[in-house]
Amino acid sequence: MSKQFLLLALMICVSSSYGQDHLLQNVYNRTTISLNGDWKYIVDPYENGYYNYRYEPFDQQPTPWASAFFLNSKPKDASDLLEYDFDKMDNLKVPGDWNTQKESLYYYEGTVWYKQSFDFDFSAEGNRLFVYFEAANYQAEVYLNGSKLGTHTGGFTPFNFEVTDIVKAQDNFLIVKIDNKRLKDGVPTLNTDWWNYGGITRDVKLVETAATFVADYFIQLDPQDTKKIKGYVQVNSKDTGAQKLQLKLPGLGIDQQLTSDQDGYAAVDLSVEDIRYWSLDDPFLYDVAIETAQETVKDQIGFRSIRTEGTQIMLNDQPVYLKGISIHEESPLRDGRGYSKEDATQLLEWAKELGCNYVRLAHYPHNEHMVRLADQMGILVWEENPVYWTISWDNESTYQNAETQLSELIARDKNRASVIIWSMANETPNVPARNVFLNKLAAYARAKDNTRLISAALEQKNYQGDPTIRTIDDPFAEVVDILSFNQYIGWYDGLPEKCKTITWKIEEDKPVLISEFGAGAKQGLHGSKEERWTEEFQENLYVETLQMIDKIDKIQGFSPWILVDFRSPRRVLPEIQDGWNRKGLISEEGEKKKAFFILQAFYNNK
Ligand code: GCB
């Protein structure tokens, strides 16, 4: 194993100690049993089912009282005192946020307990079983049949636990305590401009594996040599010693035996002459199969190179201009958090219709359908860690939390050709503790994945005090591969006409992206271009901004804010906002605003 991959493997082992098992690779394509559907729930604002009256967690007591909710207790006889009963409760749908399912939970931030029952038969002796959550916001305590499996922190990344020794043939009860209280030391922190949807927001699956199984793999083009495919496969086995496995890429004529080391790792290092590279016009995905003696895991992987050269972004050694749009993960088809393939399809089809070749998935990891579809549709992707605005930069556990969330995102999406940028953070203040925090995070991301570019949405400033000249003055600009910043000239900063008066002085020899600009407009509200909230105001802001952007010589693309109006508790203006950030090019009802067509025309001419 190369030094680099050894380091990678070590880091993965370290991160798995953070309260959950090593993340299974590619659950998306494995045969699984869905636990989606109706789950019983108990709203528990005082966390009465979690703490005793001395405020000690039941799950840390040697013999928890029957009143602990995760025990799913039932009265032993008619005189027994018990003050809860899951089976008499109402249901919440999983996947789904609770806010848009129950009116009484619309603004709720706190604990809700979920319970699902299931039967399970192993299909072969010696097999193993995992319960896999695609995401739950924000903190999850997970119990099966009264035993604690673990805790997961972070609302947007997957986690799994092995349940081989706990699962029974019948009447299993999986109980999950979800707490979406915002926390000062959390990631994100107390303040965000999006809705804090709570719940088990994505799919829950049971994954049965063979005794020895493919736990993980990272198979990508070598960034140093586009005729090489490099990475690793990791098998998990209770048997120690080397394992034989077979890596097959029939489209490239590859059928190679690999032998894992003591820790289950086998390096992948293949020389290939004639690769059909994944590209925007030809998003070709190769069928990949990894076989152990007992099972086969299949995936579809694209091979492309991405790098920067001076101020250009090079996709397969050709400069590419990123015609983008920012997207929040809300369903364009229902209300609330998006989670389905249909949600992702609609969002990405709108992006395509707009003329985009690139999307910024803001401000946290979106569901896996987005990147899987982007792989198929030939759309480049920016993925983002929810390090947003003000984070407790000095708090080591906040850093660990941010790193773990990033590591789970990279673990899930590291084989996706569409993903070209890992973004560390959004609009964070330039203070020493933040610089230490972000530098460490960027170094971590680079060590984990050297096949992608690092960025962050930074802020712009007056150049040497002159308000007509703008620049980026931030030490993190030295660290990133792509220099990105948000700017709102014409909205928070003067009126759209102001764009004409601004020039840009960007000194770094790097590709530059504008990760946000925009203006609010209520779809259907018309008036003059001077009138705030009208479609005409927003349209004019796009006209003016696009002219300004075209004059910034290092610009290699942008992702305006935002594709669709999205919910935000910060946006309370009656009759206009009513709880929605109105900077969408499309309303939450799916109606396009005038600015949509301005951007579409610009992209079509680019
Ligand atoms: C920003 C933030 C984004 C907000 C947006 C706005 O700079 O990055 O999260 O939603 O501005 O609408 O103010």
Side-chain angles (χ1 to χ4, degrees), residues 530-586:
E530 283 78 33
E531 215 179 315
R532 281 237 184 213
W533 307 113
T534 62
E535 288 195 35
E536 287 70 18
F537 187 106
Q538 187 190 41
E539 177 185 40
N540 185 42
L541 179 127
Y542 272 72
V543 170
E544 292 291 343
T545 307
L546 294 173
Q547 282 171 12
M548 176 183 73
I549 287 181
D550 246 357
K551 292 188 216 126
I552 310 177
D553 55 353
K554 290 176 184 166
I555 279 280
Q556 300 302 319
F558 53 90
S559 50
W561 197 250
I562 185 171
L563 186 63
V564 191
D565 289 351
F566 61 97
R567 272 217 180 80
S568 169
R570 295 166 58 89
R571 308 293 175 173
V572 296
L573 183 66
E575 288 158 31
I576 301 287
Q577 295 178 316
D578 299 308
W580 295 83
N581 183 313
R582 293 291 179 203
K583 296 189 190 70
L585 294 174
I586 303 177

Side-chain angles (χ1 to χ4, degrees), residues 174-416:
L174 180 62
I175 292 182
V176 189
K177 173 186 183 289
I178 305 288
D179 184 356
N180 75 330
K181 274 194 292 295
R182 285 169 294 127
L183 303 169
K184 183 167 184 302
D185 293 334
V187 180
T189 177
L190 296 170
N191 200 14
T192 66
D193 187 23
W194 71 81
W195 205 269
N196 179 28
Y197 293 109
I200 305 180
T201 47
R202 296 185 193 152
D203 293 355
V204 184
K205 297 168 174 175
L206 292 174
V207 191
E208 184 179 0
T209 70
T212 296
F213 64 95
V214 177
D216 191 16
Y217 52 87
F218 185 18
I219 301 174
Q220 290 282 279
L221 207 61
D222 180 355
Q224 260 73 57
D225 181 350
T226 55
K227 300 267 179 227
K228 275 190 167 211
I229 291 171
K230 273 197 153 175
Y232 66 84
V233 176
Q234 191 224 347
V235 272
N236 184 319
S237 176
K238 293 206 163 133
D239 308 331
T240 49
Q243 305 286 330
K244 295 244 174 295
L245 45 122
Q246 207 69 25
L247 174 62
K248 295 185 176 170
L249 268 127
L252 287 169
I254 290 165
D255 184 349
Q256 179 151 1
Q257 191 175 72
L258 305 173
T259 308
S260 71
D261 65 13
Q262 291 294 324
D263 301 319
Y265 284 88
V268 172
D269 189 347
L270 306 165
S271 294
V272 200
E273 260 323 295
D274 205 6
I275 302 180
R276 182 169 162 191
Y277 294 110
W278 183 96
S279 68
L280 298 174
D281 299 329
D282 180 25
F284 183 76
L285 302 174
Y286 282 95
D287 286 328
V288 178
I290 303 165
E291 297 180 3
T292 62
Q294 295 161 310
E295 66 175 21
T296 302
V297 174
K298 292 186 176 164
D299 208 342
Q300 301 81 40
I301 300 182
F303 300 107
R304 53 98 193 98
S305 66
I306 192 81
R307 63 185 174 84
T308 64
E309 194 176 298
T311 61
Q312 289 187 317
I313 301 168
M314 309 294 279
L315 173 65
N316 299 323
D317 298 324
Q318 298 293 320
V320 61
Y321 191 94
L322 302 185
K323 301 190 264 184
I325 190 72
S326 298
I327 304 180
H328 256 298
E329 191 192 37
E330 285 193 353
S331 171
L333 310 171
R334 297 177 321 275
D335 218 5
R337 260 283 162 261
Y339 53 74
S340 70
K341 193 168 183 178
E342 291 72 28
D343 292 334
T345 304
Q346 177 65 82
L347 292 169
L348 293 180
E349 276 177 359
W350 275 334
K352 274 265 172 186
E353 188 184 339
L354 192 56
C356 295
N357 59 16
Y358 161 70
V359 290
R360 173 186 179 198
L361 304 185
H363 281 303
Y364 40 75
H366 289 212
N367 64 74
E368 195 172 346
H369 295 296
M370 290 295 274
V371 288
R372 291 279 180 174
L373 282 170
D375 258 15
Q376 289 168 21
M377 292 167 75
I379 299 175
L380 298 167
V381 178
W382 154 308
E383 290 208 275
E384 188 162 331
N385 208 29
V387 173
Y388 183 91
W389 288 353
T390 55
I391 291 282
S392 297
W393 308 111
D394 288 314
N395 185 328
E396 181 53 28
S397 81
T398 304
Y399 174 79
Q400 274 311 322
N401 179 351
E403 188 185 279
T404 303
Q405 292 190 49
L406 181 63
S407 83
E408 289 164 350
L409 172 63
I410 295 175
R412 190 192 72 181
D413 290 345
K414 61 182 179 272
N415 293 308
R416 302 283 75 80

